[in-house]
Amino acid sequence: KIKKRDEAIAFVQNLLFACHYLLSKTKNNHPALARYASAVGETRKRLKANGNVTLQLTNLVVNLG
């Protein structure tokens, strides 16, 4: 369980790096990966703006589903 802001930001940052890596490796720019990267980037922005950690991570999971 991720409860601390710095842990959440590190997790989301790693997820964003993974999305960008996979996007760079796909030849036809998979639209779902682009959507995931956008959602993860928005979550990172909200966490850095002092958003509630649990709420933002829950929102990310809902948006990815």
Side-chain angles (χ1 to χ4, degrees):
K1 294 184 176 186
I2 299 173
K3 296 287 183 185
K4 295 183 180 178
R5 181 171 317 284
D6 57 339
E7 293 173 351
I9 290 172
F11 171 74
V12 170
Q13 187 69 39
N14 286 335
L15 204 56
L16 191 58
F17 287 147
C19 286
H20 281 272
Y21 174 78
L22 290 172
L23 274 171
S24 71
K25 295 298 176 185
T26 57
K27 293 188 184 225
N28 57 354
N29 281 342
H30 202 277
L33 279 175
R35 226 175 354 122
Y36 295 162
S38 176
V40 171
E42 188 64 29
T43 300
R44 184 176 139 246
K45 182 175 93 175
R46 289 177 180 165
L47 284 169
K48 286 189 171 193
N50 208 22
N52 181 290
V53 172
T54 305
L55 180 64
Q56 296 308 318
L57 292 177
T58 302
N59 189 33
L60 174 64
V61 170
V62 169
N63 284 334
L64 295 180

